[in-house]
Amino acid sequence: MTTTASTKHRTGTTMEQAPHTPEHGDAERLRRWRLVLGGDSAESTGCTLAGRDAAMDDALAALYGGGGKKPGARKDGARRSAGLGASAPSVARWLGDIRTYFPSSVVQVMQRDAIDRLGLSNLLLEPEMLEAVEADVHLVGTLLSLNKAMPETTKETARAVVRKVVEDLEKRLESRTRATLSGALDRSARISRPRHRDIDWDRTIRANLKNYLTIPGSDGAGTVVPERLIGYGRASQSVKKDVVLCIDQSGSMAASVVYASVFGAVLASMRTLATRLVVFDTAVVDLTDQLDDPVDVLFGTQLGGGTDINRALAYCQSRITRPADTVVVLISDLYEGGIRDEMLKRVAAMKASGVQFVTLLALSDEGAPAYDREHAAALGALGAPAFACTPDLFPDVMAAAIEKRPLPVPDQDGPP
């Protein structure tokens, strides 16, 4: 049995996701292989599809079929779609079909494949298309890349799609981010002469275990004498840390821009942090005044273009007033179009002044991206290791940076 590129694309959607009966005999195996193979390769199975299976096969064939066949040309008697073409109505029907037959996670994969394989980006400029798609981070990235070409009639619908994704991400990420960073800020503000309500009893007891005294006549019972009290500072009363998010908005960083904008809004909502958000390509744009609405931030970006990391870092450096209390997070694949040596000197200067500098090659669920390994190694030598970071890990990375602990650096060649 031979496989093709289209077969490989189909495998993830059909072998596991296709509905199946409890029995796992030869007929069921043939049915699954028939759905996986599609096209002429499927004829050797001798299996004929009908009903829901045939409809699923048509939806898959429209995207992965190829070969130039026209509808109605399938030898097993059912229809065989040959592609989605450039017809908006046919694409809308197809989007509806895949949402009917496949779970949301598979629908999102198929939509991304349709955009990549069939060049359907321009159809996303039509409001009826946007209403039919399953929204996710990658779709938002595509919409942002089309922002400048988007007609006014579509922008309102596009913003609604983006807002839905952003709100879903905020629900997923906000509570843990706030809890993790609030704890880190309290610990970083720990004082040695706390008021009673500010005492960190766990750390105080640990620090005074050597002062354990046995109470006479108590059969071995005793007490710890707290010679040294450890407490939390009143972190909620003032800004304790400055955070600068410096985001590369080149086309390959689309998902990272989405996540970083959401995190920027969450951080900006914390009164103990002063958050600045800067996006760059060859120009630098400060979007800090839009952080109360991450959708405005996203539509203020322009995905694509060149990259001048040095220029962006020069701007960020000029805005730092409390280096010992500042965390700079550079989110970039490090393909520098500016002056490399100057970029590295700026990072070294910031580190020497006390700035905590973090380099994220990606902030997404996709694992380690393509990136400039030479620049990553150079930053690592300066004490600023570069690594990809999933959104779920980001709060822990920020907490470590705030507390000036070693960063939880994952393997660069795999997901964190």
Side-chain angles (χ1 to χ4, degrees), residues 375-390:
H375 288 164
L379 288 171
L382 295 175
F387 56 97
C389 177
T390 64

Side-chain angles (χ1 to χ4, degrees), residues 13 17 23 33 41 46 63 70 106 133 168 177 191 193 208 212 218 233 273 279 284 306 320 401:
T13 62
Q17 304 294 347
E23 59 184 307
W33 274 113
S41 300
L63 176 57
K70 302 297 181 183
V106 175
V133 295
D168 288 345
T177 300
I191 56 178
R193 304 179 79 177
N208 290 278
Y212 181 85
S218 62
L273 293 175
V279 298
V284 180
I320 294 173

Side-chain angles (χ1 to χ4, degrees), residues 194-211:
R195 287 175 286 188
H196 184 271
R197 63 181 175 179
D198 293 330
I199 296 174
D200 180 347
W201 286 109
D202 181 65
R203 292 182 64 89
T204 294
I205 292 170
R206 290 171 184 267
N208 290 278
L209 286 175
K210 62 183 179 180
N211 301 321

Side-chain angles (χ1 to χ4, degrees), residues 145 248-255 302-305:
S145 69
D248 183 345
Q249 60 176 351
S250 57
S252 60
M253 301 298 294
Q302 176 58 59
L303 292 176

Side-chain angles (χ1 to χ4, degrees), residues 89-168:
S90 69
V91 175
R93 284 193 297 272
W94 179 78
L95 288 168
D97 285 345
I98 64 174
R99 292 176 76 171
T100 298
Y101 301 127
F102 302 100
S104 176
S105 58
V106 175
V107 169
Q108 291 169 5
V109 171
M110 294 178 74
Q111 285 177 174
R112 294 201 294 272
D113 285 347
I115 291 169
D116 293 341
R117 291 165 61 88
L118 303 178
L120 299 183
S121 295
N122 288 338
L123 288 175
L124 292 177
L125 301 180
E126 301 183 26
E128 59 269 25
M129 289 296 98
L130 290 178
E131 292 170 356
V133 295
E134 187 81 20
D136 69 344
V137 169
H138 298 280
L139 178 67
V140 169
T142 301
L143 291 177
L144 296 179
S145 69
L146 298 171
N147 184 23
K148 298 304 181 185
M150 196 174 290
E152 290 300 321
T153 54
T154 304
K155 284 189 175 180
E156 184 176 347
T157 306
R159 287 184 71 89
V161 170
V162 173
R163 187 169 297 282
K164 179 181 183 301
V165 174
V166 166
E167 288 176 350
D168 288 345

Side-chain angles (χ1 to χ4, degrees), residues 57 67 86 114 227 231 380:
D57 189 54
E227 290 183 353

Side-chain angles (χ1 to χ4, degrees), residues 48-68:
T48 300
L49 300 177
R52 183 182 179 89
D53 284 347
M56 291 174 63
D57 189 54
D58 277 346
L60 290 164
L63 176 57
Y64 303 119

